[in-house]
Amino acid sequence: MGQADAPTKKQLDALNAYSKAVSDFESILGQRRAQINSKQPLPNLPGQALYLARIGMMSAYKDLTDALPSKIGRPNKFGIPPAYFDADKEPLIDEYRALFDILEVPPADAHKSDTPFKDVVDLATAIARAEGLDAANAEAAGRISLGLFFAETNGNQNVGNARSNKYKGSFQTGPTEDHNGRAKWAVMKPSIAAIDPVLILRDDKEEARAGHLDHRFNHWTAVRDALMNEHADLFPQLAGIVKTLPDPIDQMKLFELIQIIPSPTRSALKSGKLVSYRISGPTIMGYLRNNSIFAFGRADRAKTSATFREILDAMWLFNAKFERALAKFDEIKARQKG
């Protein structure tokens, strides 16, 4: 009498699966740290196993809290919903991030900027103005683009990519994307020169500085070319996007989806019913899961389709990065006004 019911087999299985997932994550963290400290050769894509183990731990925890809601604990410092993450495991995520900082250190010949955040805002704002946007929407373009910088690299410039041999630099672009962006910039440059000649002087300086360097490892040219490749084409739609998605973080999420699933996102925008537009298919859902969207727990992983409203809501792992971007943007605007 008065005793709690014994756990069911499903609950015991979930407990055991979570314990194993934590152990697996601890193991790969320890292995990668030992390899780095002893200067051993690292495997190709050394961050991929780390990433999958982190996803595995969080996914197993969500299955556990679905089976045993009493396991949902206190809030954590990362802002992850408590049903997906046990705050007692914060040190493991701290180590995970520390390892990625080492694995993704910029190359020695990368060209850093002393004003990386302002560069993003200035470039996006100038591009938006050249596209014909008014001051308010051009400012929104700058704010959203700064969010992309945080989403892609956590606000770190010129980084490598421990999970990909293709995507690199401040906006994590591939060679083709960078080339396309450079070509589009060359066409738009005269229009921007008429609006902001000071910015073009900076651009000429950075272009000369980059020379034959991979332009993705000059922060200025990396940001410029990435924005021109995909996002500049959508800037003229910003007024409608802001009206449909008044939350600045939702706006950032939408533009991040241009990085992850560009074609479906463009189709959703053209449909006139953005938030209710539904995407489906294992390939598209796989792209989302590879970016920590619908990746945690059996229920999420079983989804075969989703509306854009559901996708935006499922991008909660980006929230902390976008909040940092908003705070940094406010600092930049306050400094300009001051």
Side-chain angles (χ1 to χ4, degrees), residues 141-159:
R143 181 181 66 242
I144 290 167
S145 298
L146 189 59
L148 294 175
F149 180 37
F150 276 86
E152 290 298 312
T153 69
N154 217 24
N156 298 313
Q157 57 179 312
N158 298 327
V159 298

Side-chain angles (χ1 to χ4, degrees), residues 37-254:
N37 289 349
S38 62
K39 296 182 171 54
Q40 296 177 37
L42 296 174
N44 183 42
L45 307 182
Q48 185 67 357
L50 294 171
Y51 172 78
L52 292 175
R54 177 181 67 85
I55 293 291
M57 181 184 75
M58 292 175 62
S59 187
Y61 190 69
K62 182 61 168 62
D63 287 337
L64 174 60
T65 58
D66 283 346
L68 276 168
S70 62
K71 289 292 184 180
I72 299 176
R74 67 184 188 280
N76 56 84
K77 67 181 182 181
F78 304 117
I80 299 172
Y84 291 81
F85 183 70
D86 178 1
D88 289 343
K89 301 300 184 288
E90 288 177 349
L92 298 183
I93 302 299
D94 288 335
E95 173 66 354
Y96 173 86
R97 293 187 172 183
L99 289 172
F100 267 86
D101 286 343
I102 296 169
L103 296 173
E104 297 187 334
V105 65
D109 60 348
H111 296 164
K112 72 186 293 279
S113 170
D114 293 331
T115 55
F117 307 112
K118 184 176 182 296
D119 291 352
V120 176
V121 174
D122 288 350
L123 279 162
T125 303
I127 292 168
R129 290 175 60 198
E131 291 276 12
L133 275 67
D134 61 20
N137 284 305
E139 181 173 296
R143 181 181 66 242
I144 290 167
S145 298
L146 189 59
L148 294 175
F149 180 37
F150 276 86
E152 290 298 312
T153 69
N154 217 24
N156 298 313
Q157 57 179 312
N158 298 327
V159 298
N161 191 322
R163 295 180 57 215
S164 171
N165 292 324
K166 179 179 179 181
Y167 298 103
K168 302 178 186 299
S170 292
F171 262 58
Q172 293 294 289
T173 47
T176 300
E177 296 161 320
D178 183 69
H179 177 79
N180 290 343
R182 290 175 70 180
K184 290 182 178 181
W185 174 260
V187 174
M188 181 174 280
K189 188 171 181 176
S191 299
I192 294 179
I195 296 170
D196 195 340
V198 174
L199 183 137
I200 293 302
L201 287 175
R202 168 73 185 280
D203 185 70
D204 289 340
K205 177 182 176 183
E206 294 296 339
E207 189 69 40
R209 181 186 179 202
H212 296 295
L213 176 77
D214 184 335
H215 274 46
R216 294 175 298 165
F217 287 120
N218 172 292
H219 174 70
W220 177 273
T221 57
V223 171
R224 179 198 73 190
D225 298 341
L227 290 175
M228 289 302 306
N229 175 62
E230 286 280 7
H231 302 98
D233 292 342
L234 292 185
F235 284 169
Q237 301 182 51
L238 258 178
I241 290 170
V242 169
K243 183 177 180 180
T244 302
L245 299 173
D247 183 348
I249 289 183
D250 275 349
Q251 296 161 20
M252 292 176 176
K253 288 178 178 178
L254 180 69

Side-chain angles (χ1 to χ4, degrees), residues 235-307:
F235 284 169
Q237 301 182 51
L238 258 178
I241 290 170
V242 169
K243 183 177 180 180
T244 302
L245 299 173
D247 183 348
I249 289 183
D250 275 349
Q251 296 161 20
M252 292 176 176
K253 288 178 178 178
L254 180 69
F255 273 76
E256 177 61 15
L257 288 171
I258 288 292
Q259 300 274 100
I260 299 170
I261 49 169
S263 294
T265 304
R266 290 180 183 277
S267 296
L269 285 166
K270 289 178 182 177
S271 72
K273 46 182 182 179
L274 172 63
V275 294
S276 62
Y277 187 88
R278 181 171 291 275
I279 61 101
S280 61
T283 300
I284 300 302
M285 297 301 288
Y287 289 149
L288 292 174
R289 292 191 175 96
N290 194 48
N291 287 272
S292 301
I293 304 164
F294 301 128
F296 309 105
R298 287 189 178 88
D300 270 359
R301 295 197 309 273
K303 292 181 72 71
T304 58
S305 70
T307 67

